[in-house]
Amino acid sequence: MMNSFFRKLREKGFFYIFGASTLNKIIQFCSGIFLVRLISKNDFGIYSQAQNIVNIFVLFIGLGTNYALMQFGSEAKNVKERNSFFNFSFKIAVPFNLIISGLILCYAYRANEVGTELKIVLVCMSLLPMFIYLFECLQIYFRTSLLNLEFSKLSTINTMLIFLLAVTGAISIGIFGIIFASYLAYFVSIGIGIYWLRKKKVLSNKSVMLDRKTKKEFFSYSITLMFSNSISSLVYLIDIFLIGYLIKDNQILANYKAATIIPFALNFIPISIMTFVYPYFAKNRENRKWVLKMYKKLQLSLVLFNFIMMIVLVAFAPLIIRILFGNSYLDSTSYFRVLSVSYFIAASFRIPAGNVLAMMKKIKFLFIANLIVGVANIGLDYYLIQNYSAIGASISTLTIIVVTSIIYNVYLYLFLWRKRK
């Protein structure tokens, strides 16, 4: 029975996705370690703050059409219908992404709390949202076409390029070499992805006309899920932003950023699994009994695995930090331990439940829940950082993740139990 189970997973491409995601996160993790070692602690703090600000803007790329493409592309009856959704998305996303780049420039020039060095770095990074969106759309096209091997290969190529070019750039010209590496890596990866799609004769101009009702449903799903996921993702981004804004100490900011690298990187485990199962859950979303059964199995496996990971991280935190980041980052040990507990809760409960709720199109609930919790997150972060410095940021992250995990899972289980066939 187990052999049959694993054979089905292999045939559907699970090991391609999970294997590539594992390799990608290892490469990204190594990249973080190398950058910590290759540039000064002060420069690492500046780069981390700039990257964090850009990532906040990236939450809104394409007006959320990338989220809708995964759902509607998976449900599409044929290639023409799938292409129609992508064509419709680009008409909305490209102009909006240019507006986002403009907003980053405005923030860099007009924000009084932004130092000269940070302003220059933000200007250089302002066009990254467009490149990120185009690459994500290619990845989504591969996934919705169930081309899991190509999806995995392209992910690995992109990550490897970013790593190798970033390390080379950091050694050569510091922060600006890292930024140029990101642009070049995305440009090459996008070119490779388009070439593969054309080679397989998957990418074409053939499409159908979407009716007004479908467009409205697609756009509504995009906007709602964008705001919902943006508010949810702020849990991981607002910390560094407020540390930079309130404390204005690049050393403390660098310590906190270093502490986040491992716990946040490990989220690839549930994210990879949810990436794989998303099309299957989306196709079976009307079968509540099937969804409930599979979700229980999925969550139990995640709880057992992530608990072991958490124990290892908490117990060996000083040793891990000393080996990977050096003695100068040992001040981040307490942050690291709190964030490791946050990883366990998020990876076992918050991420899988949030994804399944999105698959079930419970986006209004997600939006309302994330809006309420998101406002509480900003207030709690502000208070705790102002009074307890960076340790307050990690405690706020843990608190918000616990609260959202409870809300998501209680609602999901009640919904599936009442509506099951």
Side-chain angles (χ1 to χ4, degrees):
M1 184 178 290
M2 287 301 293
N3 288 335
S4 175
F5 173 73
F6 284 115
R7 186 168 58 252
K8 286 181 180 179
L9 287 180
R10 186 179 67 249
E11 290 171 354
K12 291 183 177 181
F14 171 76
F15 294 110
Y16 292 141
I17 293 175
F18 191 80
S21 296
T22 304
L23 179 60
N24 292 344
K25 285 302 174 182
I26 292 172
I27 296 170
Q28 288 173 7
F29 173 71
C30 291
S31 178
I33 301 302
F34 273 88
L35 294 182
V36 169
R37 299 281 190 173
L38 290 173
I39 59 179
S40 69
K41 196 171 184 179
N42 184 68
D43 282 352
F44 183 66
I46 292 170
Y47 176 73
S48 298
Q49 191 174 0
Q51 185 183 46
N52 192 76
I53 290 168
V54 171
N55 284 340
I56 290 173
F57 283 99
V58 166
L59 294 175
F60 304 97
I61 55 172
L63 272 178
T65 52
N66 46 336
Y67 299 119
L69 283 173
M70 190 66 195
Q71 180 72 30
F72 286 79
S74 297
E75 295 178 353
K77 300 178 181 67
N78 50 56
V79 175
K80 288 184 179 181
E81 186 178 355
R82 185 186 304 126
N83 289 344
S84 300
F85 287 121
F86 278 84
N87 291 338
F88 180 61
S89 296
F90 288 145
K91 290 177 182 178
I92 298 170
V94 172
F96 188 76
N97 289 341
L98 292 175
I99 293 173
I100 286 178
S101 294
L103 290 174
I104 294 174
L105 291 174
C106 290
Y107 179 84
Y109 279 111
R110 299 187 65 85
N112 295 326
E113 72 275 6
V114 177
T116 303
E117 289 177 303
L118 184 56
K119 285 178 185 288
I120 297 170
V121 173
L122 283 171
V123 170
C124 293
M125 298 176 75
S126 61
L127 286 175
L128 274 176
M130 181 69 79
F131 284 80
I132 292 170
Y133 178 82
L134 293 175
F135 180 73
E136 281 190 8
C137 283
L138 275 172
Q139 291 291 74
I140 292 169
Y141 201 97
F142 280 120
R143 280 297 295 121
T144 54
S145 302
L146 299 180
L147 297 172
N148 294 326
L149 178 59
E150 288 75 13
F151 167 85
S152 304
K153 283 182 178 179
L154 190 60
S155 296
T156 304
I157 288 171
N158 178 254
T159 307
M160 183 65 77
L161 283 172
I162 291 176
F163 169 60
L164 294 175
L165 293 173
V167 170
T168 304
I171 294 171
S172 304
I173 50 176
I175 293 176
F176 300 102
I178 300 170
I179 297 169
F180 176 73
S182 297
Y183 281 110
L184 185 57
Y186 278 115
F187 182 80
V188 173
S189 300
I190 290 168
I192 292 171
I194 293 173
Y195 171 75
W196 283 352
L197 286 174
R198 290 195 178 280
K199 188 178 179 181
K200 285 188 166 291
K201 298 181 180 179
V202 176
L203 193 64
S204 68
N205 295 321
K206 295 179 180 179
S207 60
V208 295
M209 184 67 69
L210 297 175
D211 58 63
R212 181 172 293 184
K213 181 182 178 182
T214 302
K215 287 181 179 179
K216 184 179 178 181
E217 185 183 359
F218 180 92
F219 190 65
S220 175
Y221 186 92
S222 300
I223 294 292
T224 308
L225 200 57
M226 177 193 71
F227 280 111
S228 177
N229 285 349
S230 297
I231 297 167
S232 178
S233 297
L234 280 175
V235 171
Y236 300 104
L237 297 173
I238 198 68
D239 293 353
I240 291 176
F241 178 80
L242 287 177
I243 290 171
Y245 177 78
L246 295 172
I247 300 175
K248 295 181 174 64
D249 187 326
N250 289 328
Q251 302 290 317
I252 293 176
L253 197 149
N255 278 333
Y256 189 81
K257 175 64 178 179
T260 67
I261 290 175
I262 297 175
F264 288 2
L266 286 174
N267 282 330
F268 88 90
I269 296 170
I271 289 172
S272 299
I273 293 171
M274 299 315 296
T275 298
F276 168 73
V277 303
Y278 198 108
Y280 304 103
F281 271 73
K283 289 180 182 296
N284 290 279
R285 66 186 182 87
E286 298 297 333
N287 188 346
R288 306 288 194 268
K289 186 176 181 180
W290 182 91
V291 173
L292 179 62
K293 179 182 177 182
M294 298 308 296
Y295 180 69
K296 283 181 178 179
K297 289 183 178 180
L298 179 65
Q299 191 166 63
L300 178 60
S301 301
L302 286 171
V303 168
L304 294 174
F305 178 82
N306 292 324
F307 182 76
I308 296 171
M309 292 293 294
M310 179 191 68
I311 295 299
V312 172
L313 292 174
V314 171
F316 297 100
L319 179 63
I320 293 169
I321 291 169
R322 186 181 293 111
I323 292 172
L324 297 178
F325 306 116
N327 290 328
S328 63
Y329 283 89
L330 280 173
D331 290 342
S332 65
T333 301
S334 56
Y335 319 148
F336 181 87
R337 281 178 166 147
V338 176
L339 292 171
S340 295
V341 178
S342 299
Y343 151 72
F344 166 69
I345 303 297
S348 304
F349 303 99
R350 184 175 185 266
I351 293 173
N355 273 268
V356 173
L357 284 168
M359 295 169 195
M360 306 300 292
K361 293 191 174 182
K362 307 304 293 183
I363 54 174
K364 287 185 180 179
F365 165 78
L366 285 172
F367 175 73
I368 294 170
N370 287 334
L371 180 61
I372 294 170
V373 176
V375 172
N377 177 35
I378 295 171
L380 186 62
D381 247 333
Y382 192 95
Y383 173 79
L384 291 177
I385 291 171
Q386 195 170 46
N387 288 278
Y388 303 101
S389 189
I391 188 64
S394 56
I395 292 172
S396 175
T397 297
L398 174 59
T399 303
I400 294 301
I401 286 175
V402 169
V403 171
T404 51
S405 296
I406 292 171
I407 294 172
Y408 285 3
N409 281 274
V410 168
Y411 183 87
L412 178 60
Y413 275 109
L414 286 175
F415 174 76
L416 292 176
W417 184 264
R418 289 173 181 172
K419 298 288 185 177
R420 63 178 183 161
K421 291 181 179 180

